[in-house]
Amino acid sequence: MIQSAPSGDRLALGVAMIMATTLIFAVQDAITKHLVANYPVASIVLVRYCAFAAFGISFAVRRAGIGPVMRSSRPLLQVARGIVLLLEIALMAMAYRTLGLAESMTLFQCYPLIATALAGILLRETIGWRRWTSLVVGFLGIVIILRPGLDVVEIGAIYTLVAALLYAIYQILTRLCGNQDSPSTSFFYVCVVGAVIMTATAPWTWTNFESEDALWLALLCVMSMAGHYCLITALSIAPAAFLQPFNYFQLVWAVVVGWVVFRDMPDGRSFIGGILVVGSGLFVAYRERVRQQSNSSCNTI
């Protein structure tokens, strides 16, 4: 049975929802940057994960029921996936202490390039010379941003690059789990694993928040849930390959929000490097879409 392509109205709605997602996540990052200046990352991540877990578990259970959601064919891989995402979120929060939103987000946008390289190495996927060339150009953009040897590389930049690597690994693990587990099961595990780990560390890491900052923390949780709701909605009505390029608008929002809230503006080399990184990522997304369409055509013959 051949499924019909989404209509133009549904594609437009999907784009609107993914644009809302990128804006919400940029505001969420700004709130995180404000909070990490005065509070431990562990306390912020704990509250954020508890809210994320409450949303994620209820969402997954409503869609599939508690029994089917909890059953995984690859539970250890699901746990590893949850730990990797938790570390990525914590490292990005730590990066915001020393880097501006735009600069950190520009560096983080190399994760699709890393994921593509890892897919070729670990999953034995065929990557043509065009995509390999694009990966080299993208990593050249990272070198331009960091300018190693001329300046001391910010610790925040190192945190961001490690976070990008972890997020790329998270994507690879998600693909491996997705071969046998449903999206609801994967969503359930990633919520529960992080919440359990952070709750277990709370007696040693928790710090009370001032009243005003507690409100910011509550808003952070609301933004996180709203962002994931918009993301899930977007992916349910439009193909992920179609929406992928629009994810880069988070970088645009990061520049705008960073300047409005913190008066941060990336310098010239960050802009040039960012253009190379984003351009390479867009080309990789385009080639992936072409590859999927080609495979789909072959399967219908």
Side-chain angles (χ1 to χ4, degrees):
M1 179 178 179
I2 300 176
Q3 294 182 345
S4 61
S7 65
D9 289 342
R10 287 180 65 82
L11 291 176
L13 179 59
V15 170
M17 294 302 291
I18 205 70
M19 294 287 284
T21 300
T22 58
L23 175 58
I24 290 170
F25 283 164
V27 174
Q28 172 186 285
D29 291 341
I31 297 173
T32 300
K33 182 175 176 61
H34 164 71
L35 291 174
V36 296
N38 299 305
Y39 299 96
V41 168
S43 296
I44 299 169
V45 174
L46 167 62
V47 178
R48 177 177 169 179
Y49 250 102
C50 287
F52 181 42
F55 168 77
I57 293 171
S58 61
F59 181 87
V61 169
R62 279 202 312 271
R63 295 192 68 174
I66 186 64
V69 159
M70 292 181 64
R71 285 195 293 270
S72 170
S73 300
R74 313 189 77 170
L76 293 180
L77 202 61
Q78 290 283 15
V79 171
R81 177 173 160 270
I83 293 173
V84 168
L85 183 63
L86 172 61
L87 293 174
E88 179 267 321
I89 290 174
L91 282 172
M92 282 302 295
M94 293 168 64
Y96 291 141
R97 283 179 171 161
T98 59
L99 285 187
L101 291 181
E103 190 173 6
S104 57
M105 188 51 57
T106 300
L107 286 172
F108 185 74
Q109 291 305 322
C110 71
Y111 77 83
L113 308 179
I114 301 175
T116 300
L118 290 177
I121 297 170
L122 301 178
L123 302 182
R124 296 292 189 266
E125 291 187 358
T126 301
I127 300 177
W129 66 268
R130 296 179 182 87
R131 284 197 287 172
W132 278 120
T133 302
S134 184
L135 296 183
V136 171
V137 172
F139 289 122
L140 176 61
I142 296 173
V143 173
I144 292 174
I145 296 171
L146 296 178
R147 199 162 56 180
L150 299 179
D151 291 319
V152 176
V153 178
E154 286 270 8
I155 186 64
I158 296 175
Y159 288 151
T160 303
L161 290 176
V162 176
L165 171 61
L166 289 173
Y167 195 65
I169 294 173
Y170 168 79
Q171 289 193 323
I172 297 296
L173 294 177
T174 298
R175 291 171 62 179
L176 291 174
C177 291
N179 293 332
Q180 294 177 301
D181 289 346
S182 69
S184 294
T185 296
S186 293
F187 196 33
F188 175 84
Y189 270 87
V190 81
C191 294
V192 170
V193 170
V196 168
I197 292 175
M198 294 312 301
T199 301
T201 64
W204 298 276
T205 61
W206 176 255
T207 298
N208 291 327
F209 289 78
E210 299 292 336
S211 299
E212 181 179 345
D213 289 327
L215 293 177
W216 282 114
L217 188 61
L219 180 60
L220 175 64
C221 294
V222 171
M223 299 297 284
S224 179
M225 290 185 285
H228 281 91
Y229 175 79
C230 290
L231 177 60
I232 292 170
T233 302
L235 293 174
S236 68
I237 60 179
F242 174 79
L243 295 175
Q244 173 59 30
F246 295 97
N247 284 317
Y248 286 103
F249 271 90
Q250 187 169 348
L251 179 56
V252 177
W253 299 129
V255 172
V256 174
V257 173
W259 183 81
V260 171
V261 178
F262 303 106
R263 289 297 185 267
D264 289 333
M265 181 60 67
D267 57 19
R269 62 189 171 91
S270 294
F271 271 115
I272 295 172
I275 290 172
L276 293 177
V277 171
V278 173
S280 298
L282 288 172
F283 183 78
V284 166
Y286 165 74
R287 291 302 303 174
E288 178 65 19
R289 186 177 180 185
V290 169
R291 186 181 69 85
Q292 290 181 359
Q293 290 176 343
S294 176
N295 292 340
S296 177
S297 299
C298 291
N299 290 336
T300 58
I301 295 176

